[in-house]
Amino acid sequence: MAKTPTQFVRLLAAGSASALALVLAVPATAQQAPQAQPQDGAQAAEDTGGIKEIVVTAQFRSQKLQDTPLSITAIDANLLASRNQTDISQIAAQAPNVQLTPQGGAFGSSMAVYIRGIGQYDFNPAYEPGVGLYVDDVYYATLTGSVLDLLDLDRVEVLRGPQGTLTGRNSIGGAIKLFSAKPTAEDSGTVEVAYGSRQRLDLRGSANFKLAEGLYARVSGVYKKQDGYVDQVDYGCANPGNKLGLTGNASTPANCVVDKLGEKNYAGLRGSLRYNPNDKIDWIVTGDYSYEKRTNAAGVITAMNTAKTGGVDYTCGRFCTYASFYMPAGGQAGQAYYMPNTTKFTGWGVSSNLTLGLSDSIKLQAITAYRKYHEIFGTDDDYTPAPLIAGGGFNDLSFRFFSQELRLNGKIGNLAEWTIGGFYNDQKSVYFTRQDIRYIVPIGVPSLFLQFQGNDPIKANSKAVFGTVILHPAPALTVTAGVRYTKEHKDYTFSRTQWDGGVLTDIFGVGALNGSVANYDGHRVDWRISADYRFSPQVLAYATVSTGFKGGGVTARPFTKAQAVNGTFNPETLTAYEAGLKTDLFDRRLRLNIAGFYNDYKNIQLPLADCATLDGFAPGKDPFPCAAIGNAGDGHMYGAELEIAAHPVEGLDIDASASWIDGKWTRLDPTKLGPATNPNAGIQIGDPITTPKWRTSFGIQYRAELGGEKGSITPRFDVSSISRQTQGRLAGSPVLDYNPARAIANARVTWKNGKEDLSISFEVQNLFDKYYVQPLRFAALYGFAGTAYATVGRPREWAVTVQKKF
């Protein structure tokens, strides 16, 4: 049964009381004065026999995790390695109320990112992320290219709740920050090799050099290759005599499998140069390059309406698809052709991070960055081999991004610390696409095929100024206040021509779009106020009210000129209320952090079911298709989060988390989404505003010393679970579909020699071989073609890893 806000407050209060009761039980010998704040942003490995500290920079200064009045999950490099985590999407398994989902084939190399139910899934550069992603304090502006490898990291910080005054633009749900290991004054290196299931081969390495006094360099690289796990099957080969009259391709192997979807083929390289001659100057220049060429995501059909497919069922199996990426001749396609079933991504970037100590109390930081990427991918929208319900596209996306950020940090004795700064970014995308859409027109009428070529430039820029002050009005009391002003602009120029560049026949109004320009301009003030009180060295309590926004924009996929020109939408906004406790108990043998939140979510950007108000028709009377975005809803969300870390005895480490979230829609615009009585409406009052409600994780490891040169052996077990999660409502269905609840377990055992410079580990992921599909299925064609598909989770996999340090 859903909990009311009153029950939520009682739950949080009960948890807080439990934590305070534990504090009162702590022996007096554990009451110590707070230690001085560390001065370096890297991990502070205080070895007191308890849980090691991690230092974070979420508030633009180095603070212990337990001294920062924010909901933060911080993971250092050692914990990432012990959990088998090598790419950013795996972090969500242990972070409360965080969902990171690599996208399916229709979205290329991108990731859907949600924190506390707020985020974004559409890769199109016209739409903004709802969670800020940062690497070494450099903002990643799009979801494309966001499935990052965790290469040579110092730590990851996951900040939950709006970061409007800290990281600013498009961090309405939170922020994920990756921090690379910095070059240091030592000569060292690491080489790692992994081999496993489906010919998996991972190569990783890093090297650190001291070039001269105060001048250091670091280089790291990764290569990952693994076969796919979903068979792409030639339908005609596997089903001879089928009613479609399809026969196997002459080049198809005897087993009818033409390819494997879901493979890995990734390479990345990063190099850093650091100039740090004294404690006043620290300058790091970094360059990185990444390359990915693989088959599309491992999709399978998860819903089938044979009434739309001529009575043919195209489901193939649990790890099998008949998707052909084939288009027969018709319309502008003078001959049959294949779209690529692959995704190719190439990206690179350079950044400069300069810190200058202007005085003992004032520090200037300048962060300059430039990024560029290029991606090509193809889609088979209906995921079947049927030529008469075909739909798909060829996509070519290029992107470049420049940003400059300045921060001035200072302090006024023991009374206050302050930060003022400014941010600017300029970006341009060019989205080339060749679309061949045959499922929304009468079958067998080639003259009405919707076939067009787009080559759309999308320009955007953002400017911001911000400030934060941290006051210490009393010895145990801290008050933080911040404000940020953001101004942004975006323009989208639509190009709609025939494939040869000629004038497009005006089907559904698409041809009239050519040359149209849609503009968006907006500005926003965000603020935050927070108070925290340290009851003892073991307990910090805090309360925060903060705001954030996700930028507005223009409809990226209009079918008419009116939809383009009138399809501008405003930012969605959030006001968040949060309270929490951070505790280190029993001489730092137990860490218990509790947080509760309430979100007031306004002008939510939603896909529209009806473009009548944009096209100038009465609601429900629009003759044109609709794929627009609009500010169509408001809602409330509330939840609670718990994180536990324990080091009860030497060698034993336990970590766990649990989160619960619930809420409701308070407004849904029936003129845009369709009335609640219409079963084709995508969202209705009464639907859950976010799922899953529950997430839990548990991890345990024990390091057993073997003695002397024999080294140690460390077994580890992890399990994470989520409750059922909605897949949305299929066209024509009055009920929501849900993915069932699931739990995924991983296991690993690691041997290290006495010097700890050599380790060998054996791991098994998805230990119990759980079959599941990812959320965010592609169901846009269900009403036309009768099919919907989703990405299947990876089956059980094993790997052996050998690592050598120098």
Side-chain angles (χ1 to χ4, degrees):
M1 184 176 67
K3 293 179 174 61
T4 67
T6 301
Q7 291 173 312
F8 153 71
V9 172
R10 291 173 179 170
L11 176 67
L12 178 61
S16 302
S18 300
L20 287 171
L22 283 171
V23 174
L24 296 176
V26 176
T29 56
Q31 306 291 322
Q32 307 171 30
Q35 298 184 11
Q37 292 291 331
Q39 299 302 310
D40 188 77
Q43 176 188 345
E46 298 179 4
D47 190 5
T48 62
I51 298 168
K52 292 184 178 181
E53 282 288 0
I54 296 179
V55 172
V56 298
T57 55
Q59 297 192 122
F60 299 147
R61 52 189 28 87
S62 297
Q63 294 176 293
K64 293 179 183 178
L65 175 66
Q66 295 301 94
D67 288 337
T68 308
L70 297 168
S71 292
I72 306 177
T73 298
I75 310 128
D76 66 13
N78 291 331
L79 188 54
L80 289 172
S82 69
R83 290 174 172 171
N84 320 318
Q85 293 172 336
T86 60
D87 75 64
I88 190 173
S89 65
Q90 296 171 309
I91 293 173
Q94 281 81 24
N97 278 324
V98 176
Q99 177 175 300
L100 309 179
T101 306
Q103 289 284 64
F107 294 88
S109 182
S110 67
M111 182 172 62
V113 185
Y114 287 80
I115 295 180
R116 291 180 174 173
I118 300 169
Q120 167 69 305
Y121 67 89
D122 195 331
F123 78 96
N124 195 291
Y127 304 139
E128 303 291 348
V131 172
L133 178 62
Y134 296 79
V135 179
D136 296 329
D137 280 329
V138 174
Y139 177 56
Y140 275 53
T142 68
L143 295 177
T144 297
S146 59
V147 189
L148 301 173
D149 185 85
L150 303 180
L151 174 62
D152 198 24
L153 291 187
D154 173 71
R155 70 190 187 280
V156 178
E157 298 177 14
V158 181
L159 285 63
R160 298 186 294 279
Q163 306 299 314
T165 63
L166 296 171
T167 59
R169 179 172 176 249
N170 303 320
S171 295
I172 180 173
I176 300 173
K177 295 186 170 185
L178 280 61
F179 293 92
S180 305
K182 296 179 180 179
T184 57
E186 65 177 2
D187 293 326
S188 62
T190 301
V191 174
E192 181 178 289
V193 180
Y195 179 81
S197 301
R198 301 192 312 280
Q199 305 301 311
R200 172 183 169 183
L201 177 63
D202 290 7
L203 303 175
R204 295 175 179 273
S206 64
N208 192 95
F209 307 98
K210 179 180 179 180
L211 303 178
E213 196 62 39
L215 184 62
Y216 322 118
R218 191 176 186 94
V219 63
S220 54
V222 59
Y223 171 75
K224 299 191 294 189
K225 185 77 171 70
Q226 188 178 26
D227 292 345
Y229 56 97
V230 165
D231 293 338
Q232 183 184 338
V233 175
D234 183 329
Y235 181 80
C237 171
N239 299 274
N242 60 83
K243 64 186 302 183
L244 297 178
L246 296 177
T247 58
N249 193 297
S251 61
T252 298
N255 65 358
C256 300
V257 177
V258 298
D259 216 334
K260 295 274 192 177
L261 301 183
E263 72 177 5
K264 292 182 180 180
N265 185 18
Y266 175 89
L269 183 67
R270 179 189 298 128
S272 298
L273 190 65
R274 183 182 188 186
Y275 180 58
N276 185 210
N278 52 52
D279 60 0
K280 300 291 186 183
I281 301 175
D282 194 359
W283 186 19
I284 301 177
V285 178
T286 302
D288 67 86
Y289 173 82
S290 59
Y291 174 83
E292 185 177 26
K293 186 177 181 181
R294 56 169 174 80
T295 55
N296 283 357
V300 300
I301 287 180
T302 56
M304 169 68 64
N305 181 358
T306 55
K308 297 282 187 177
T309 62
V312 181
D313 187 344
Y314 293 110
T315 55
C316 180
R318 300 197 330 154
F319 293 102
C320 172
T321 179
Y322 290 130
S324 63
F325 297 84
Y326 170 80
M327 299 295 281
Q332 296 181 52
Q335 59 185 9
Y337 67 96
Y338 284 91
M339 293 165 293
N341 69 341
T342 56
T343 296
K344 180 180 178 181
F345 176 89
T346 304
W348 62 272
V350 292
S351 65
S352 166
N353 193 322
L354 173 64
T355 302
L356 295 175
L358 304 181
S359 71
D360 290 341
S361 60
I362 299 178
K363 182 171 64 176
L364 174 68
Q365 188 172 15
I367 304 169
T368 309
Y370 181 84
R371 296 208 63 79
K372 192 172 185 178
Y373 66 68
H374 181 214
E375 180 183 48
I376 297 174
F377 63 100
T379 65
D380 185 342
D381 286 346
D382 62 288
Y383 239 61
T384 79
L388 293 182
I389 57 170
F394 172 85
N395 304 278
D396 186 323
L397 177 62
S398 61
F399 173 82
R400 61 109 176 125
F401 177 86
F402 170 80
S403 66
Q404 176 67 62
E405 184 167 1
L406 293 174
R407 303 174 189 162
L408 194 64
N409 287 350
K411 61 186 302 185
I412 305 172
N414 294 323
L415 178 63
E417 296 100 44
W418 53 268
T419 299
I420 58 173
F423 175 84
Y424 170 78
N425 81 265
D426 178 80
Q427 69 188 64
K428 180 180 180 180
S429 305
V430 178
Y431 182 27
F432 175 89
T433 183
R434 180 168 286 175
Q435 292 292 318
D436 194 346
I437 303 174
R438 309 185 187 187
Y439 47 79
I440 62 173
V441 296
I443 291 176
V445 187
S447 63
L448 291 181
F449 286 172
L450 180 53
Q451 298 168 319
F452 65 87
Q453 182 171 283
N455 195 24
D456 303 348
I458 309 105
K459 299 177 182 178
N461 63 66
S462 175
K463 309 177 183 72
V465 291
F466 54 88
T468 295
V469 60
I470 302 174
L471 300 172
H472 307 285
L477 176 65
T478 300
V479 177
T480 303
V483 65
R484 188 181 189 109
Y485 173 77
T486 303
K487 184 178 181 180
E488 54 184 3
H489 167 81
K490 183 177 294 177
D491 59 74
Y492 198 124
T493 302
F494 297 94
S495 170
R496 297 292 183 269
T497 67
Q498 293 194 99
W499 291 4
D500 61 3
V503 177
L504 181 67
T505 302
D506 193 13
I507 301 173
F508 294 118
V510 174
L513 273 166
N514 193 46
S516 298
V517 179
N519 292 281
Y520 166 78
D521 289 280
H523 59 91
R524 166 79 179 176
V525 175
D526 282 306
W527 54 269
R528 171 185 172 232
I529 186 165
S530 174
D532 62 86
Y533 188 82
R534 184 161 285 285
F535 289 95
S536 73
Q538 287 74 39
V539 179
L540 176 77
Y542 69 91
T544 298
V545 183
S546 58
T547 69
F549 79 101
K550 182 169 75 176
V554 301
T555 289
R557 301 180 182 92
F559 284 88
T560 69
K561 186 174 181 178
Q563 290 178 14
V565 175
N566 300 327
T568 301
F569 52 88
N570 293 318
E572 61 182 33
T573 63
L574 183 74
T575 302
Y577 306 84
E578 181 177 327
L581 282 175
K582 293 191 170 186
T583 69
D584 275 330
L585 310 174
F586 305 111
D587 201 18
R588 290 220 341 256
R589 295 285 180 175
L590 174 65
R591 175 168 294 168
L592 180 68
N593 292 346
I594 301 172
F597 62 90
Y598 181 87
N599 290 339
D600 188 6
Y601 198 12
K602 299 290 188 182
N603 287 323
I604 303 172
Q605 298 166 7
L606 297 171
L608 304 186
D610 192 343
C611 283
T613 56
L614 304 181
D615 282 322
F617 295 96
K621 302 297 183 181
D622 195 344
F624 301 116
C626 183
I629 297 290
N631 303 106
D634 300 330
H636 294 158
M637 291 182 282
Y638 37 85
E641 298 162 349
L642 170 68
E643 292 186 280
I644 298 172
H647 184 69
V649 296
E650 193 60 34
L652 178 62
D653 290 287
I654 300 170
D655 56 86
S657 69
S659 60
W660 164 77
I661 187 170
D662 203 350
K664 63 180 180 179
W665 295 100
T666 58
R667 177 184 69 90
L668 289 173
D669 190 339
T671 67
K672 298 177 180 179
L673 298 172
T677 55
N678 176 8
N680 291 313
I683 302 173
Q684 300 176 8
I685 291 288
D687 289 351
I689 192 170
T690 183
T691 58
K693 289 186 178 181
W694 288 96
R695 292 181 182 270
T696 64
S697 73
F698 175 81
I700 184 169
Q701 68 179 44
Y702 181 75
R703 173 172 169 147
E705 299 294 340
L706 302 178
E709 296 182 358
K710 295 179 181 179
S712 64
I713 188 166
T714 305
R716 180 177 177 91
F717 176 79
D718 289 278
V719 61
S720 60
S721 69
I722 63 173
S723 60
R724 69 173 189 163
Q725 186 169 19
T726 180
Q727 287 280 69
R729 179 179 283 104
L730 291 171
S733 173
V735 298
L736 287 170
D737 286 343
Y738 285 87
N739 270 343
R742 70 170 186 262
I744 305 297
N746 302 324
R748 179 183 177 114
V749 60
T750 302
W751 171 83
K752 290 185 178 181
N753 67 356
K755 296 180 180 180
E756 296 201 356
D757 60 356
L758 176 65
S759 67
I760 302 173
S761 65
F762 176 75
E763 69 184 63
V764 180
Q765 298 193 40
N766 195 356
L767 180 64
F768 302 113
D769 204 20
K770 177 70 174 180
Y771 183 84
Y772 64 99
V773 297
Q774 299 284 9
L776 303 173
R777 69 183 173 191
F778 188 84
L781 273 67
Y782 188 81
F784 303 107
T787 60
Y789 69 92
T791 301
V792 150
R794 306 183 78 81
R796 180 165 53 213
E797 301 178 349
W798 62 267
V800 176
T801 303
V802 179
Q803 184 188 79
K804 174 65 179 175
K805 296 181 179 180
F806 301 95

